Structure formats: C-alpha cells, structure tokens
C-alpha cells in the first residue's frame, strides 16, 4: 500500500521545531497538545488491564510481536501498555511515534532499515532490530493527538498493511481513546463528588436529608445536625417522623408531602418543625424526587433551613428558600445564580472542576456564559431563556454544547428556575449545568465494547445463538453455521436445521436439555456436549453448548448462548482412555503374575509344613509302633516258652504304647481343629476351681499359684474336658519355664471386642471370655513366640516334649470359635490367653467324677447293629455285646447296614464307624435310618477326623460319639448306658 510522503520535519526526526514538525493545516499548537495530555493525567500511571488487552489484541490481529500504546510528552515517549518491548519510556530522539502523530490517517514504515528517516534509530540497528512500523494517532474529540497505537515487526513488510489490518488498528486506536476518555471522566466525577460532599457539609445552616421512598433517612448532613439537633447516627435508617409537629402528623402531612413530590417532582415545605430538644422553628425548604438512570423514582432529598427570625420579621423567604433548595438540587453540577436586576451571574466551584474555567477568567455576566455556548446552539438557548422569563414560567431546561477552558466542547443539560417578586416580575434565576459528555462517551464506549466482544468471539472461534421461543426464530452467527455445515447467511430453524444437524445418538438428550432450560421449574440454563453432523459437508464435529433462558411472566421467551468446537479435547480424551485401557491391561497381567507367584509360594510353604508334619508323625509313631510290636513279639515268645508270669508285664507295656499313640492322635486332631467335640455351656470359674488342687500338685511347692476369678463371668459353649486338658497343659508349660520357682497366675475375665480389637485378635466383634495363664519364667523371644503354635515345635530337650501341646490348644480353641494368643518377653515371663465366645444361657452343673464301673449283666432281648469296615473292630464290639447279653447284628459297609435298618429286625442301638465304604458314610446311614426309626439311638465310633460329616462337631439328640482307640470296659459301659436310658 502507499506510504505517506515525509514532511521536512519527518526527514529530520530529531528536530523539535513546531514550525517544521507541524504541517500548516494543523489547528493546534504543541502547547495545547501537551496541556490536553496533562488533563488526562495518564502519564506514569500503573498498567491497566483494559489497555493491556487492547495492545495484546492489536498484536494478535496484526500478527506482530510488538505493540504499544505510546504517549508523546514534552521530552519523552512513554508507553501506557506494551507487549514485546520490555520497557515503557524512551527519549524522543528514538521515537517514530513523534512523527506518526502528525499523520491523522496513520504512519506506515514498511522497512525501517531501508527508510533514511529512521534507519539510524537504535531499534533498527540494535536488539531487537525492528524492521516494520505502523501507528495510528490517538486523537481527542477535538483532534489533538496524544500519542499512537502502534505495532512493530522484526521482519519488513513491503506490502504494508492490508485494508483489514488498517481497519483493525484504527478501530483499536479509537478504543484506546475511548478508554482514556472514560478514565478521565471517572476521575473528574470522583473529584466532583468529593467537592459536592464538601459543599453539602459546608452548608451548616442547611439541613439536607436524603430519604428512600418509604421516608427513611439515608443521609443526614452536618447542617441537619446543626439545625435539627439529632446526630446522623441517630437518624440514619429512621423515618423523619420526629421533625414533624403533632398537627402535621394528624393531617398526614409527611405522607402527603412525598406523594405530592412523586406526582409533581417536588413539594415545598414552609411550616413549623420540631428540634431534638423539643423546641420549634419555622423551616423553609422542599422535598424533591431523586431518579435513577432509568428515570424511575429512587428516593427523596429534603432541604430545610431555619427561617424563624425572617418569618417573624415578615421577610419574604421564598426567593432565598428557592435559591438554596435549587443549590442542593444541583449539587453535582456547575450551579449559577443570575441576578436579573443587576445582570450579574455567579458560579460555584464546579465550573472550574468540571469545565476547567478558573474563577479569575470568568466574567460575572450572562454575556460571558452565552459566549461559551457553541455558536450553533447560542441563539436557540438565548431565545429559550427570554421566552421563559417573559412568559411567566418558572422552569427552563435545554441541552447544548458548552466550551471548556481547553477549547473543547462538552454536551450539557442546562436547567434554571425563575424566582419572581411581587407582581410576578422575574428577579432571579438559579440553575445548573449537567455535563452529559461522560454519558455520551459511555454510550459510545459500550458500542465499542460490543464491537470488541464480537472481535474477541470471532478470534476465539466461539459461536453464538439466539432462539426466540414464542416466534420459533433461531439466529446463528457464522461460526454456528460453520459447525453445522451450513453456508453463512442461510436461514436456520430449530426443527429443520438444529435438530436434524445433531448426531442421532445425541439428538434426544440435547432436545431434552433445551426443554429443561425452557421449563420455569427446570434448570433455566443449557449446558451440554453433543456431536453435530454437517448438513452439507457431512463432517462430524464435537460441540460444547452453553446457554441461559430468559423468562417473562413465568414464560420462556429466549434462549441465548454460545457454542465451541471441542473436537481436539474429545480426541485427547479418547487417546487418554485408550492409554488407560492399556495400562489397566498391563496392571491386570502383572497382578495375575503376582497372584500366580503367591499361589506357588503358598503351595511351597504348604508342602514344607506337610513334610515337617509327616516327618514328626513318622518319628513318633515309629517309636510307639516299635514298643507295641516288640512287646507283642515278646509276649508271644514268653507264652510259647511257658513263662506266663512275664506275659502281664509285656501286655502292660504294649497297652501303654497304644495309649500314648491314642494321645498323639488326639493332639493331632485338636491341632487340625477337626476333632469331635462335645461342647456344653461351661462356667470357666467353676472349672478352674475344680482343677486348682490338681494344678497345685502338678506345679509343686516351689511355684506360687494364684487364681483370679472375674465376678459375673459369662458362660461359654465349650468341651469342658478339652478345656481342662488345655488349662493343665498351659500350667505344665509354665512350670517348666520356671525351673527355680516363681509365680503362676490363672485369671478369667469378660471381654467385649469392638471392631478394632476384634481385628487385632482375628475374631468377629462381640462378647468373649478370656482364660489366661501367666508365669514369671524365662519367657520367649519374638521369633520363638511366633512358632509356639506350630506342630512339633518345642524348646524342651530331646525326649521331653512332642511339640504338640500348644498346637493342640490352638486347634481346640479355634474349633470352639475362639482364639489363642501368646504375649512373652525374655527374662520376664509369658502370658497365654484363650478367648472363647460368650454363651447366652446358663452353665451346666459339673459332672460327678466317677470311674468306669464293671458292666453288669444287661437285660435280655435288646439288639445292637454294629457297622464297621474293619473286621477286628467288629469282632471286638461283638464280643463286648455277647458278654453284655445283647443280640448283635453286623455289617461291613453303609448300604448293607441300611438294608438291615430298613428291615423288620429289632434294632435298639446302632454302633457305627463314620468312615465306611460303599458310597455311604455312617452319618448318612444313620440319617436315612431315622426316616423309618426316628427314635433310633446311635453311637459313632471314629478313629480320625470326621467332624464335617458328624456336623461340625455337634451331634443331634440321641447321637453320641466315642473316639478310637478306647477301653473295652468304657465301650461296654457306654453301650449299656445308651440302651438302658429312657
């Protein structure tokens, strides 16, 4: 594009002669320009966001790395906002903007280095080596340039600016100037408000009272305190009721005064009023309506002045009261007081504050005022004044332009009130000028802000929509058209464009979201993500839409909002989900590998434990079998030799080895928690007392025994014989841990385990009893204590312990629903506690100790069925029955025994093993037999753990159990007891 030709001053950029720099057609001088710049009070102020946003937008729109708002002072160039420069001040000798302000249309330098005017500037020769410049002057409404909005580039642009770029730069330059004007206006308004408040407070003989529409005080000036006597703190928020006389209240004057003011705009107040001390005074004043920007009544201002003396003297108070009332009415404006008789016009200080005219330059005449009015408006204003004064009217108002001291013109609204004397002759006119420039500038700034919003949404690629519900009219901007694949400008509608343009899977949800927004009882807002299918291009696009519904009288009228393309975000989310899925698959595979490794480790540990257990069993049973088989061989040899006296000794030794084998089997079953128990409601206190003598004899006199019983100890459901064995075993272990003597304590207690305590003990929460045995012996290390319950683990010397005692206790306790715990410290002793569940019932009476009596002859006629797969066992039981005098039937498996039970044969008692061949165990056979013989008595004899079949250790009524091996005398007694029992 064309570049403006340089003037003589531009050819020498360092020259500051106004006559050379300023072209002849300029209507301003440098002094005027600098005075105007000073009036804006912008130099050396902190950064402000509005200016920074414009600079960033300029750099973005013109694709330039550098942009700035530069102001040209007398000796420097100062940047109010900049991007890419890193500094805010330069000497004028380095400035291109100094030349640009003399070009109203702007200055464009395509290549600074190639332009003789600017090639030697530091910015062209040194960092950052700027090559391109474009600047638009920042001109006041009067045409005075204050500086420029410029952009610079490190690359030359031979083509200069495109028309679109120039339009954008000019638009942004006007926006900068609008911000400067708005900033100056706010500063002047703040100064004016402060000055007006000072004026109000200085009027100490005027009571100026602000009120809301209900008559409550909102402001109370110093004059009100002086005239009426109440302080502001006493009256704020209160009604003006106290200042009116009882007569005025009776006549409803306060309400009527406000009503009249609302109807006419003001109401006069000439009457007696009350002070805080109860005295009365004659007040002259008025009540005027305060209106907001929309012209709606927002409150009242009441002016009162004490005119008691003047009223008594008969002076005419109307003119003075009106004058002061109007001063208060126009406190925010430049107030004038025109004495018509003397043609003298006086102004308040606001004339200088608002329009810049110092008092010394203002002539006190109407002619001076008219001379400041714009020539095009002067005749109209003068004619209006004359008509008001001559026509007998009291109010005059006109809008016109008024010259400021700097030569610019402000748009003002002048208002005046005519005061008339006797006969209606006008004697005085009081009025004020309201500066409307700020309002007009604000309106222009609003328009520019709307333009900027449009530019910003376009730059951000945000679309907007406006749906008029009642008329079913839908408006889209170009971005909305683009997202739905519709050509720009083509008419659209909700039913024929929006809904068909939605992805079929998203259409129902999106339509429902719109309906919820339009429902008065719904969300009233619209926010959803959906897919749009281009109606002409078929392209699928992800869209985020947000909107707000507007309602009138409870009915939705419009839905306004924005749309944004979120396709990039959705693609990233899909990739993230894919990545997460891969990670989850990797984690799952790794977890599977870990679980497999853990299972292999558990299997290895299990096999190690099985090896240890079987090794110990083999060792102990080999010893026992050697004793049994050796003694039986010697018994046979002695009988063959006829040495009958030695037979009893070898038989006794063989029986002892067999009993020790039975005890070992019993302990193994207890450890495995699969022994057959006979649980009964048991009083642990009573059990401990019953064993106290036995324990004392067992531990010996070197150990002090102490028994601590809990009062009110709960019963527990446990096999009392096994609990006695466990207690005795613990006491023997405690004794062995105290070879030099010590203290052994047996203690019972009730325990209530909450969630945390139960987790610590590996038990369900609830009520338990504890039976603890503590000693003051050698104690155990943590490593030893951790293995104490392991089978065959013992710290005793070889041959003095099997290592199954504590493991038996642990298995019995766990099978009974409880827990066993060890607490030990080397050198201080050990505590072993058994935790057993509380039984909600009464404990049974203890059994009377008795030996096994020799069986007496049984009653004839009773029949017993014996079922066992071991012929030797059947033979033994049959011989016992024969000696008792009972008839006996036998079977080797479950099906054979069941056929006998289902026959007509008399059977009074079934004696059966649990584990039987033939596909039916003893428990299944007994249950089937009871279908036909419900009262059948059953005695299970078992040599290993079958409690899962028997019923987890609990037998039904009429069923009993004996554990192999057993003494034949005990078997005979038990059979007779069951047959003879009712």
């Amino acid at each position: 594009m064309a570049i403006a030709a340089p003037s003589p001053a531009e050819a020498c950029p360092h020259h500051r002669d106004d006559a050379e720099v300023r072209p002849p057609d300029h209507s301003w001088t440098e002094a005027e320009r600098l005075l105007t710049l000073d009036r804006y009070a912008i130099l050396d102020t902190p950064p402000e966001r509005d200016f920074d946003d414009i600079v960033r937008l300029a750099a973005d729109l013109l694709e330039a790395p550098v942009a700035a708002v530069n102001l040209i002072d007398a000796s420097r160039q100062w940047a109010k906002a900049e991007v890419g420069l890193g500094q805010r001040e330069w000497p004028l000798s380095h400035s291109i903007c100094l030349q640009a302000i003399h070009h109203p249309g702007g200055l464009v330098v395509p290549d600074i280095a190639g332009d003789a005017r600017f090639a030697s500037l530091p910015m062209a020769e040194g960092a950052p080596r700027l090559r391109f410049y474009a600047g638009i002057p920042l001109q006041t409404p009067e045409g005075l340039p204050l500086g420029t909005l410029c952009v610079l580039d490190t690359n030359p642009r031979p083509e200069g600016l495109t028309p679109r770029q120039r339009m954008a730069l000019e638009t942004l330059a006007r926006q900068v100037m609008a911000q400067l004007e708005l900033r100056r206006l706010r500063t002047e308004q703040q100064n004016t408000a402060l000055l007006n408040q000072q004026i109000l407070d200085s009027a100490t003989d005027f009571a100026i009272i602000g009120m809301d529409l209900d008559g409550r005080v909102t402001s109370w000036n110093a004059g009100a305190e002086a005239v009426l006597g109440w302080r502001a703190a006493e009256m704020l928020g209160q009604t003006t009721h106290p200042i009116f006389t009882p007569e005025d209240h009776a006549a409803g004057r306060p309400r009527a005064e406000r009503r009249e003011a609302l109807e006419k705009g003001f109401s006069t107040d000439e009457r007696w009023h009350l002070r805080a001390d109860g005295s009365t005074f004659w007040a002259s004043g008025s009540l005027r309506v305060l209106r907001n920007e929309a012209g709606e009544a927002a409150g009242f201002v009441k002016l009162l002045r004490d005119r008691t003396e003047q009223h008594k003297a008969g002076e005419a108070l109307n003119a003075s009261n009106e004058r002061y009332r109007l001063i208060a009415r126009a406190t925010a404006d430049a107030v004038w007081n025109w004495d018509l008789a003397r043609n003298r016009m006086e102004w308040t200080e606001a004339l200088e504050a608002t329009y810049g005219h110092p008092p010394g330059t203002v002539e006190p005449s109407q002619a001076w005022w008219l001379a400041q009015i714009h020539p095009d408006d002067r005749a109209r204003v003068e004619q209006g004044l004359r008509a008001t004064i001559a026509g007998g009217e009291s109010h005059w108002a006109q809008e016109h332009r008024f010259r400021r001291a700097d030569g610019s013109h402000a748009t003002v609204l002048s208002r005046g009130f005519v005061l008339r004397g006797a006969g209606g002759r006008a004697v005085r006119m009081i009025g004020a000028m309201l500066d409307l420039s700020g309002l007009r500038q604000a309106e222009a700034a609003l328009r520019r802000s709307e333009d900027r919003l449009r530019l910003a949404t376009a730059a951000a690629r945000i679309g907007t929509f406006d749906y008029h519900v009642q008329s079913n009219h839908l408006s889209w901007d170009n971005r909305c058209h683009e997202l739905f694949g519709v050509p720009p400008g083509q008419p659209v509608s909700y039913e024929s464009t929006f809904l068909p343009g939605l992805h079929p899977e998203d259409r129902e949800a999106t339509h429902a979201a719109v309906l919820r927004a339009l429902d008065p009882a719904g969300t009233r807002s619209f926010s959803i993500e959906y897919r749009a299918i281009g109606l002409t291009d078929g392209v699928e696009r992800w869209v985020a839409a947000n909107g707000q519904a507007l309602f009138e009288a409870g009915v939705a009228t419009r839905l306004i909002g924005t749309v944004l393309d979120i396709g990039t975000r959705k693609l990233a989310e899909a990739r993230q989900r894919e990545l997460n899925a891969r990670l989850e698959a990797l984690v799952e595979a790794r977890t599977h590998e870990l679980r497999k490794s853990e299972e292999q480790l558990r299997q290895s540990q299990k096999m190690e434990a099985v090896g240890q257990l079987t090794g110990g069993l083999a060792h102990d049973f080999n010893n026992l079998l050697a004793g049994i088989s050796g003694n039986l061989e010697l018994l046979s040899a002695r009988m063959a030799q006829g040495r009958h006296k030695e037979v009893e000794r070898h038989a006794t030794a063989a029986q002892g080895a067999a009993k020790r084998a039975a005890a070992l089997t019993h302990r193994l079953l207890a450890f495995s928690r699969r022994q057959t128990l006979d649980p009964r409601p048991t009083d642990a206190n009573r059990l401990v007392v019953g064993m106290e003598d036995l324990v004392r004899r067992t531990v010996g006199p070197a150990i002090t025994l102490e028994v601590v019983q809990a009062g009110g100890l709960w019963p527990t459901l446990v096999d009392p014989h096994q609990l006695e064995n466990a207690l005795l075993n613990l006491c023997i272990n405690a004794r062995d841990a105290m070879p030099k003597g010590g203290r052994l304590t047996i203690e019972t207690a009730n325990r209530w385990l909450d969630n945390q305590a139960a987790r610590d003990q590996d038990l369900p929460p609830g009520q338990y009893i504890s039976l603890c045995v503590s000693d003051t012996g050698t104690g155990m290390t943590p490593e030893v204590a951790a293995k104490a319950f392991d089978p065959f683990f013992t710290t005793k010397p070889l041959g003095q312990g099997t290592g199954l005692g504590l493991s038996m206790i642990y298995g019995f306790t766990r099978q009974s629903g409880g827990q066993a715990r060890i607490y030990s410290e080397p050198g201080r002793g050990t505590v072993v506690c058994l935790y057993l569940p509380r039984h909600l019932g009464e404990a049974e009476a203890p059994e009377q100790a008795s030996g096994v009596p020799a069986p007496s002859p049984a009653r004839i006629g009773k029949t017993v069925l014996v079922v066992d797969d071991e012929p030797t066992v059947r033979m033994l039981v049959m011989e016992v029955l024969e000696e008792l005098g009972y008839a006996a039937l036998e079977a080797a498996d479950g099906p054979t025994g069941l056929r006998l039970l289902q026959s007509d044969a008399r059977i009074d008692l079934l004696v059966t093993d649990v584990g039987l061949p033939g596909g039916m165990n003893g428990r299944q056979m007994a249950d089937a037999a009871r279908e036909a013989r419900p009262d059948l008595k059953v005695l299970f004899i078992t040599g290993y753990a079958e409690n899962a079949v028997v019923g987890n250790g609990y037998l039904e009524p009429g069923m009993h159990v004996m554990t192999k091996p057993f003494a034949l005398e005990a078997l005979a007694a038990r059979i007779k007891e069951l047959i003879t029992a009712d």
Side-chain angles (χ1 to χ4, degrees), residues 367-554:
W368 179 89
W369 175 47
L370 290 175
Q372 312 310 313
I373 296 176
H374 195 282
D376 295 343
D377 302 334
R378 191 176 298 147
R380 175 173 54 84
V381 172
E382 188 172 9
Q383 181 180 357
L385 281 170
R386 289 177 179 174
T388 299
I389 295 173
E393 298 178 8
S394 60
H395 179 263
W396 164 82
Q398 276 186 304
E399 187 174 325
H400 59 86
R401 288 165 288 179
F402 182 79
R403 183 181 178 278
R404 300 186 181 94
D406 60 10
S408 63
H409 284 81
T411 301
V412 301
L413 174 63
S414 287
R415 295 157 296 172
F417 293 85
V418 180
L419 305 181
R420 300 181 183 275
R425 179 174 174 272
V427 296
R428 187 178 300 276
M429 192 171 186
I430 299 176
M433 288 193 309
L434 173 64
D435 191 349
L436 300 178
S437 302
L439 178 61
R440 300 291 183 260
Q441 292 169 359
E443 292 172 350
L446 178 60
R447 289 191 295 271
R448 289 190 291 271
S449 178
E450 292 173 347
D451 293 339
R452 182 176 65 179
L453 177 60
R454 282 193 294 272
L455 288 173
T457 54
R461 298 183 63 78
I462 298 175
T464 60
F465 62 85
D466 188 354
Y467 178 41
H468 293 259
V469 181
Q470 304 302 319
S471 63
N472 199 28
H473 175 70
L474 179 62
S475 297
W476 279 357
D477 66 358
N478 290 339
R479 181 57 177 157
C480 277
H481 281 79
E482 180 182 351
L483 291 175
F484 278 80
V486 178
Q490 178 175 316
V492 296
S493 69
Y494 186 84
E495 289 80 5
S496 63
T497 311
F498 176 68
L499 290 179
L502 296 173
H503 192 286
E505 296 178 1
D506 301 339
R507 187 173 298 140
E508 182 178 352
T510 305
H511 180 57
V514 173
L515 296 181
R516 286 195 299 272
L518 300 179
D519 185 357
T523 60
R524 297 193 175 212
S525 62
F526 175 67
S527 180
I528 194 171
E529 296 178 357
Y530 54 77
R531 288 164 290 179
I533 306 297
L535 296 177
T536 58
D537 57 16
V539 176
E540 178 180 304
R541 302 175 180 89
W542 269 103
V543 177
N546 292 277
Q548 188 69 39
L550 304 181
F551 291 81
E552 293 181 4

Side-chain angles (χ1 to χ4, degrees), residues 101-117:
I101 66 174
H102 297 285
H103 294 271
L107 175 63
V108 178
V109 182
D111 189 351
I112 297 175
D115 193 317
R117 298 171 296 173

Side-chain angles (χ1 to χ4, degrees), residues 683-690 708-713 748-749:
D683 183 346
N685 276 346
R686 193 157 53 198
L687 183 143
V688 171
V689 170
V708 180
Q709 295 182 332
L713 185 69
T748 60

Side-chain angles (χ1 to χ4, degrees), residues 683-697 705 707 709 724 727-728 746 846-847 849:
D683 183 346
N685 276 346
R686 193 157 53 198
L687 183 143
V688 171
V689 170
M691 291 188 64
E692 185 173 353
D693 289 340
L694 176 60
V695 172
R696 289 186 187 278
R697 290 193 301 271
L705 175 64
V707 176
Q709 295 182 332
E724 288 175 346
L727 177 59
L728 184 58
I746 304 174
E847 295 182 353

